[in-house]
Amino acid sequence: MASTASVYKNSSKREYVLTDEQRNEYRRISLDSRLAKSSAELGLSSSAHHINTPKLDPCSLMEQLEQNKLRCLSLFSGGGGLDLGFDRAGYEHVASYELIPICKETLKLNRPKWKVFGGVHEGDVTKIDWNIYQDAIDVIHGGPPCQPFSIAGEQKGIDDERNMWGEFIRAVNTIRPSAFVAENVLGILNPKFDSFVQIYILDKLQDYTITKFEMNAADYGVPQIRRRVFFVGFKKVNDFNKFNIPKATYNADHFLSQKKMPSLFDSELPRTLGVRAALGLPEIGFDNLAPTIRSAFTGKRNTTSILNSSAGQKSWGDMEIWPNGVQLDRVKASKFPAKNDHFRLSVQDVALLQGFPESWKFAGAVYQVLGQIGNSVAPPVAYQVAKHVAAALSPHSALSQPSMSPLMRVAG
Ligand SMILES: C[S@@+](CC[C@H](N)C(=O)[O-])C[C@H]1O[C@@H](n2cnc3c(N)ncnc32)[C@H](O)[C@@H]1O
């Protein structure tokens, strides 16, 4: 591998300058990879690994609940992570709005009867008059685009034209649902965004009492380190007081060195599976959680890699898994050996590592599917939030009993 480090030519544009040595090395790797793929497609290479049968069924992390009679509206729906979590928690789906047409196709593929508005003409939330949903929605959920706050981006916050918090808030303040759920990246908790959060989120939602908290997908049985922030707001203080932040349902401490908040942790919990175990790969004497899968609509777009950072490369390597050149299905992946003989992933494997069950299909080419997966809320995490919101809104739920969970009131 090239020894000289690459440098940023212009840090605001994040443009790499490669040395000649590096450029040649990357060209060689790319050529090798194309040759290996062609020979696999022509059936000239023998199968590198068996077709894996996963051990983890993400449906077991989110048991289908009975209809709870709560109606939900989905904004910025993407490939449907939040939508699926709410669906399995028993909500009635009223409509989804999403700018990217392929995401609409994914939602319709899985739930043909759902009302899904997609593309610039129908799905752009900036153009919708939300008055049509007054009295028709109990919970609005959505993940406004996270690039403005992501450490992978420039963190321009309010100055970033992709900041869509204002649109989410406009929908909430027009429709006035009983509750809302908004998801975002951890970057939004950076102190540099404190005033943004106060002025442009909390102060704009004066009629809601709001709590914000962090969840890690690994604490809910998903074999991935994926830390995200949730803002949950209730119109009635009484409902807010009945809301409990979802406690961990799985124990991932054997993988994670960081200390958890003691009240969220219970040592009797079942253990989160590692990646190899979840995918049903042979034992190699080592397993781990997946590093955070990259959000592929950010940065380089048409990529079939799920690598988020160079640290991630080592983590995947230690598990003998190849995080680049993800294939459309398991048969193709098994026929296309990674150069170092590490296991090559298929999109079904990546979806599973994000907590999507095999039954949830994605429309589009590999890079588009990875984009939808990497951008999503892990459905089992969405499910836990949805379930606890429903409990707070239902009068007789065991989940809504006051507990010692560290609910932090941040506005209202
Ligand atoms: C973080 S992703 C949401 C993922 C989704 N919550 C899930 O769990 O799968 C944000 C989504 O917002 C969409 N988006 C951005 N601007 C939009 C707009 N003006 N109207 C509708 N959707 C938009 C993006 O295309 C992207 O799919």
Side-chain angles (χ1 to χ4, degrees):
M1 192 64 185
S3 54
T4 331
S6 35
V7 291
Y8 283 125
K9 189 167 112 193
N10 175 341
S11 60
S12 70
K13 284 191 178 160
R14 302 183 79 76
E15 195 181 322
Y16 274 113
V17 179
L18 297 178
T19 62
D20 287 346
E21 195 187 350
Q22 283 173 317
R23 192 170 291 113
N24 289 337
E25 177 71 7
Y26 290 140
R27 278 200 192 116
R28 198 185 55 71
I29 292 172
S30 160
L31 181 65
D32 281 355
S33 169
R34 265 182 284 145
L35 288 174
K37 192 170 183 192
S38 316
S39 79
E41 279 165 1
L42 293 169
L44 298 177
S45 65
S46 55
S47 180
H49 52 75
H50 291 296
I51 298 169
N52 57 312
T53 306
K55 223 197 244 170
L56 174 67
D57 174 7
C59 284
S60 68
L61 308 177
M62 43 181 186
E63 182 196 338
Q64 180 68 56
L65 299 181
E66 278 177 25
Q67 289 292 308
N68 60 22
K69 300 198 172 75
L70 294 169
R71 301 155 298 175
C72 67
L73 176 70
S74 163
L75 309 187
F76 314 104
S77 313
L82 273 172
D83 289 51
L84 177 57
F86 272 76
D87 185 49
R88 291 198 64 90
Y91 285 73
E92 178 194 334
H93 176 273
V94 175
S96 290
Y97 285 83
E98 164 58 52
L99 199 55
I100 299 178
I102 203 76
C103 298
K104 172 179 175 177
E105 280 183 43
T106 291
L107 295 174
K108 291 301 276 185
L109 195 60
N110 292 285
R111 298 287 185 274
K113 291 190 178 148
W114 277 6
K115 223 186 237 180
V116 182
F117 298 94
V120 281
H121 298 302
E122 285 190 342
D124 184 350
V125 300
T126 64
K127 296 182 184 146
I128 310 298
D129 176 359
W130 299 113
N131 282 301
I132 53 172
Y133 290 111
Q134 269 185 14
D135 300 322
I137 302 295
D138 299 298
V139 179
I140 296 181
H141 63 78
C146 54
Q147 295 97 325
F149 312 100
S150 168
I151 48 166
E154 290 169 40
Q155 294 199 306
K156 281 163 51 179
I158 189 72
D159 299 324
D160 193 313
E161 62 189 15
R162 295 165 299 182
N163 167 36
M164 283 284 145
W165 270 99
E167 288 301 325
F168 184 84
I169 289 164
R170 183 173 70 84
V172 171
N173 284 338
T174 308
I175 299 170
R176 300 181 50 76
S178 303
F180 69 81
V181 172
E183 174 265 355
N184 230 260
V185 289
L186 220 49
I188 201 167
L189 293 186
N190 185 318
K192 83 187 239 189
F193 294 126
D194 279 356
S195 59
F196 171 87
V197 169
Q198 188 59 48
I199 297 167
Y200 295 104
I201 302 179
L202 305 178
D203 290 354
K204 300 273 185 213
L205 289 161
Q206 289 284 337
D207 295 340
Y208 287 81
T209 311
I210 303 167
T211 178
K212 62 175 167 14
F213 52 91
E214 180 191 326
M215 290 171 83
N216 185 346
D219 292 335
Y220 304 90
V222 178
Q224 186 191 153
I225 302 167
R226 192 174 188 85
R227 299 166 68 200
R228 290 292 184 264
V229 178
F230 287 85
F231 289 73
V232 176
F234 292 91
K235 202 161 63 186
K236 291 188 186 153
V237 175
N238 199 26
D239 293 337
F240 173 86
N241 288 337
K242 286 191 288 169
F243 177 70
N244 290 309
I245 294 171
K247 288 184 183 173
T249 52
Y250 276 75
N251 177 2
D253 254 25
H254 47 299
F255 294 122
L256 299 168
S257 53
Q258 80 208 46
K259 275 259 165 269
K260 291 196 182 70
M261 290 163 78
S263 56
L264 293 179
F265 174 65
D266 175 349
S267 61
E268 299 300 309
L269 296 174
R271 286 181 158 210
T272 302
L273 293 179
V275 172
R276 291 194 68 93
L279 295 180
L281 304 182
E283 283 193 27
I284 55 164
F286 179 75
D287 207 352
N288 204 349
L289 298 170
T292 308
I293 290 171
R294 83 187 288 262
S295 168
F297 284 137
T298 60
K300 200 173 158 205
R301 274 170 182 252
N302 301 357
T303 175
T304 53
S305 169
I306 55 166
L307 255 191
N308 204 21
S309 65
S310 43
Q313 176 88 61
K314 169 156 178 14
S315 201
W316 287 110
D318 290 345
M319 289 186 274
E320 299 189 6
I321 290 175
W322 186 244
N324 309 304
V326 174
Q327 297 295 294
L328 196 57
D329 58 50
R330 291 197 173 102
V331 175
K332 281 203 168 82
S334 79
K335 286 186 180 159
F336 180 21
K339 229 181 109 203
N340 51 11
D341 212 29
H342 286 182
F343 177 79
R344 190 181 288 280
L345 295 161
S346 62
V347 292
Q348 292 76 23
D349 294 330
V350 178
L352 185 139
L353 297 177
Q354 181 80 354
F356 281 95
E358 197 99 7
S359 56
W360 190 263
K361 308 290 180 207
F362 289 91
V366 172
Y367 77 92
Q368 292 170 309
V369 176
L370 295 181
Q372 294 171 71
I373 296 171
N375 253 357
S376 67
V377 176
V381 171
Y383 172 82
Q384 289 298 332
V385 178
K387 196 168 114 172
H388 284 75
V389 168
L393 295 177
S394 323
H396 308 296
S397 167
L399 274 176
S400 67
Q401 298 310 310
S403 82
M404 296 302 287
S405 83
L407 194 60
M408 177 177 46
R409 186 184 176 130
V410 294

